[in-house]
Amino acid sequence: MSVDLERDGPVALITVNRPEALNAFDTAHLEALLARLREAGAGEGVRAIVITGAGERAFIAGADIKEMQGKTPLAAKGFAELGQAVCAAIEGAPQPAIAAINGFALGGGCEVALACDIRLASDRAQLGQPEVGLGILPGWGGTQRLPRLVGAGRAKEIIFTGRRVGAEEALRIGLVNAVHPAGDLLPRARELAAGIAAQGPLAVRHAKLAIGQAFGETGGGFAQEAQLFALLFGTADQREGMGAFVERRQPRFTGA
Ligand code: HXC
């Protein structure tokens, strides 16, 4: 259980390492990722960052539902803000960040990938925002970044149905940049990172800044997302949705 940082010349590789829970994020792992991101971002000579998940099955299966289940609205707001800070750290890092999506990228996992500059997927990857099936909504920027990437209509359909998007569809709709056979994913991500690292580092950094001005994080929508996320933690539907996941059964929502 950890978030690991490894240096390979100018490339920093960050691995979320909690495969027994499909790399789901509890508070400790979120805080560890934030620390590793800051370390990588400030690292002497780091020119690109690759983020991936440990094991064969998952990039990140989302926020830890078992930890979230009993949160009060206030605690849920804090949890949304911590995840948003992680995504903002990725988006605000001086170096480009590449998500190497090696399996499930669901909920908060998809949101971490959305905050990266470039997304590469394995042919087994499945992305999605299944939060509404838990009685909540995406709280780490998914309501803001997914529509920017794939358009409002597609984002709404993906968020309102909670369905999973396979690698080929993700490529077709622009949710990922490329799809690679599972065994090639990390080498290809490292190769892409090394190609970026060989360019003028100040030029790349400033290009990221300039693009960020047009498409990067802005205040209002994110703050409102965190507030709406928190509100849902006062509902019976949130308790039912998360209880159903833990008990491995279908939820029965009442709209209360
Ligand atoms: C806690 C999780 C988890 C999660 C998986 N696990 N995802 N634990 N939180 N998000 C755990 C399971 O409980 C199980 O532990 C182990 O990982 C393996 O998962 P299984 O469910 O047994 O595997 P499988 O049947 O293959 O199904 C894989 C899966 C499913 C489809 C990915 O695990 C799943 O639906 N997970 C939840 C995905 C999700 O809803 N993510 C969004 C979360 S909300 P045990 O100990 O039982 O073996 C979110 C909000 C973000 O991310 C914003 C917050 C502010």
Side-chain angles (χ1 to χ4, degrees):
M1 272 177 65
S2 55
V3 178
D4 306 326
L5 172 61
E6 182 192 313
R7 261 306 275 280
D8 179 10
V11 178
L13 173 67
I14 294 177
T15 306
V16 179
N17 195 347
R18 195 192 178 199
E20 68 281 7
L22 302 182
N23 303 321
F25 270 127
D26 55 13
T27 302
H29 281 82
L30 267 181
E31 283 171 347
L33 176 58
L34 191 55
R36 295 295 94 76
L37 282 165
R38 288 184 175 147
E39 221 174 307
E44 182 75 28
V46 173
R47 305 278 188 250
I49 299 170
V50 176
I51 302 176
T52 195
E56 312 258 289
R57 300 200 56 213
F59 175 67
I60 299 159
D64 187 320
I65 299 165
K66 294 166 194 167
E67 185 191 291
M68 266 191 305
Q69 193 181 14
K71 285 195 189 295
T72 61
L74 212 58
K77 183 163 173 282
F79 192 58
E81 287 166 352
L82 177 60
Q84 289 192 0
V86 167
C87 292
I90 295 170
E91 208 166 63
Q95 308 87 352
I98 300 167
I101 305 169
N102 54 315
F104 292 115
L106 301 175
C110 189
E111 292 171 296
V112 166
L114 289 169
C116 290
D117 298 288
I118 298 169
R119 283 151 293 282
L120 302 185
S122 92
D123 50 7
R124 295 189 211 142
Q126 292 198 48
L127 298 90
Q129 299 287 166
E131 284 90 342
V132 293
L134 297 163
I136 58 168
L137 55 78
W140 294 346
T143 64
Q144 309 297 298
R145 293 192 182 92
L146 187 60
R148 282 181 201 162
L149 199 59
V150 301
R154 284 197 175 107
K156 286 178 180 177
E157 189 256 325
I158 289 168
I159 290 173
F160 296 167
T161 63
R163 74 178 175 88
R164 292 189 214 140
V165 178
E168 286 307 326
E169 182 187 355
L171 179 64
R172 182 166 52 75
I173 66 176
L175 181 50
V176 301
N177 296 63
V179 177
H180 299 294
D184 292 347
L185 177 67
L186 208 50
R188 297 300 291 271
R190 286 177 184 271
E191 207 174 282
L192 176 61
I196 291 170
Q199 309 306 311
L202 295 177
V204 171
R205 184 174 179 162
H206 284 76
K208 174 167 170 168
L209 269 176
I211 298 166
Q213 287 297 315
F215 296 103
E217 182 164 9
T218 51
F222 288 86
Q224 178 158 36
E225 179 190 77
Q227 277 165 18
L228 293 170
F229 176 84
L231 260 185
L232 290 169
F233 279 73
T235 67
D237 280 352
Q238 175 267 327
R239 289 187 291 279
E240 169 62 13
M242 294 195 183
F245 173 80
V246 172
E247 292 158 25
R248 295 183 177 269
R249 61 172 174 81
Q250 288 299 312
R252 290 179 299 272
F253 293 119
T254 57

